[in-house]
Structures are given as structure tokens and as C-alpha cells.
Amino acid sequence: MDFQPLKYIYKPAGNPEAYTLLLLHGTGGNESDLLPLAGNFGNSLNILSVRGNSEENGMPRFFKRLGMGIFDEKDLDFRTDELVAFVKEATIKEGFDANKVIALGYSNGANIAGATLVKYPDFLAGAILYRPMQPFKEIRSIGTIKEVPVFITSGMEDPTVNPEDTDTYVNKLMELGFAVDFHNLPTSHNLVNEDIGLAAAWLSKNFTL
Ligand code: MLT
């Protein structure tokens, strides 16, 4: 199968030095969904918000799943390559810095962001993973020596994620050399104000925006 382009919205910050926030929605979302959330992080970031190319009963996703929390890893592998190729092309078309892309993914979007970290450990400058799951059962990765900052929040009451699996995933990312900032919040799969406040503080601590 050939790579397909992804539908997207690009909003330039108007500064050639700017970081770009790559927004990756959850199942059933689209490229408009996370724009209001990104608005909480100020106006100094370019925004590249994309729609997943996979579909489940009319709901956009970034890759196929075989059941709740059971991923079609072959499709995930392909879609991760497709996403990275697309973002690389967008850096040229839209003229933003390829070394300054920070992913922000929610749920299914966090999972393809995690797959990107694993497969392309030095591609992203950082990543915000809201309610993620380990993307591949076996993580095979060369890792990074750059201590790429990764922010993760999970929900203590989230019925879709096993807390021990999240701990295992966080530890694996740290073993691979990522500098993980992990918060387990007293909430469910939905996002809460703390997800935004903590991520905003993490962004300003780790990046000169
Ligand atoms: C979802 O509903 O999107 C799942 O929790 C995560 C996934 O399928 O990637």
C-alpha cells in the first residue's frame, strides 16, 4: 500500500524559530478537535493538526485495532511510517523546523505518537501523551541519547488502560533514554484541567517557546 496524504490544518505562529505542535486526536475525532486545547499553550507555537487515515465504523483513527486495546500492529507500523513521511513533507511545504516538532496525542493519537517515539526516537523534539497505551507488545528500538522529553498523564479511574501496563510502558520509554515526566491523575479517560496545566508547565520548563 502507498502512503496517503493526511487531512490537516496548519496554523503558523509567524516566527521561523517556532516549535510546531503536532496534534493527534482520539478515536472518532478529527483535525479540529484538539485546536481549543492547544490554545491553552499560548500563541508562540505553530499548530499542525492532522486527521488519522484509518477509519472504524465511520470514526477516524490513526491505525486499525482488532478489539478494544488490541492493536493491528502491522497497520500501526505502516501508519507510523506514513505519518512521519507526511510530517517531513509538511515541514517543506509549510516551512517549519523539522527539528522542532512536539507531538501532542490523546488516546489513539497518543498511541501513534508513542509508536513514533519507538520507531523514530530522534524524530520528535518532545511528546505529550494523554492516556496512552504501549503501542507495540514488543518494543524494539535503538532509543535515544538526546533525553527527548516526554510528558505522560494517565487516569486512575480509566477503564481502558491497565495501570501496571502504563508503568511498564513508562519504564520502557525511560530505558530507551526518554526523559519521562509521568502523572497519574484522579480521573478517567477524559481530559481534565490538570492535564492542561501540567503540560503547559512541562512545555515551558523543557522548551524555549
Ligand atoms: C481508543 O479508544 O482510542 C483506545 O483507547 C486507544 C486506541 O485504540 O489506540
Side-chain angles (χ1 to χ4, degrees):
M1 200 161 47
D2 291 334
F3 292 163
Q4 300 298 320
L6 282 84
K7 287 205 175 70
Y8 73 100
I9 296 171
Y10 180 68
K11 295 185 171 200
N15 163 13
E17 305 291 307
Y19 279 89
T20 298
L21 205 53
L22 170 65
L23 302 180
L24 304 159
H25 61 77
T27 301
N30 62 39
E31 65 278 24
S32 299
D33 268 26
L34 295 173
L35 295 177
L37 182 144
N40 290 291
F41 303 129
N43 50 13
S44 58
L45 292 154
N46 303 316
I47 302 293
L48 176 67
S49 189
V50 296
R51 182 189 300 197
N53 269 347
S54 182
E55 222 184 71
E56 182 184 282
N57 303 321
M59 296 185 296
R61 284 178 54 84
F62 284 94
F63 57 91
K64 291 191 189 123
R65 62 180 165 187
L66 308 172
M68 274 302 282
I70 307 166
F71 303 149
D72 179 335
E73 295 198 12
K74 202 165 163 244
D75 190 56
L76 172 57
D77 197 65
F78 173 80
R79 295 295 179 191
T80 305
D81 294 347
E82 182 185 57
L83 176 66
V84 169
F86 170 79
V87 174
K88 282 184 182 162
E89 274 176 31
T91 65
I92 297 160
K93 188 169 171 202
E94 303 293 353
F96 59 87
D97 191 336
N99 296 313
K100 289 187 162 183
V101 177
I102 303 167
L104 181 157
Y106 168 61
S107 190
N108 181 242
N111 296 340
I112 197 156
T116 305
L117 290 174
V118 167
K119 284 203 76 181
Y120 299 90
D122 289 329
F123 176 66
L124 295 168
I128 296 171
L129 310 181
Y130 287 135
R131 312 293 181 275
M133 294 169 75
Q134 183 165 314
F136 299 105
K137 278 209 188 79
E138 299 277 321
I139 297 227
R140 286 182 221 97
S141 172
I142 53 166
T144 177
I145 52 164
K146 292 191 191 165
E147 298 187 354
V148 175
V150 176
F151 173 90
I152 297 181
T153 52
S154 61
M156 287 172 200
E157 320 291 333
D158 188 343
T160 67
V161 188
N162 176 340
E164 282 169 20
D165 292 347
T166 307
D167 289 342
T168 305
Y169 181 33
V170 166
N171 286 331
K172 282 201 176 137
L173 288 174
M174 291 197 293
E175 278 165 26
L176 291 176
F178 295 101
V180 183
D181 184 4
F182 172 54
H183 303 266
N184 194 14
L185 303 179
T187 184
S188 184
H189 201 63
N190 58 302
L191 294 180
V192 292
N193 285 338
E194 245 181 310
D195 285 291
I196 296 166
L198 288 166
W202 173 86
L203 276 170
S204 37
K205 187 174 150 210
N206 288 283
F207 304 95
T208 311
L209 300 180

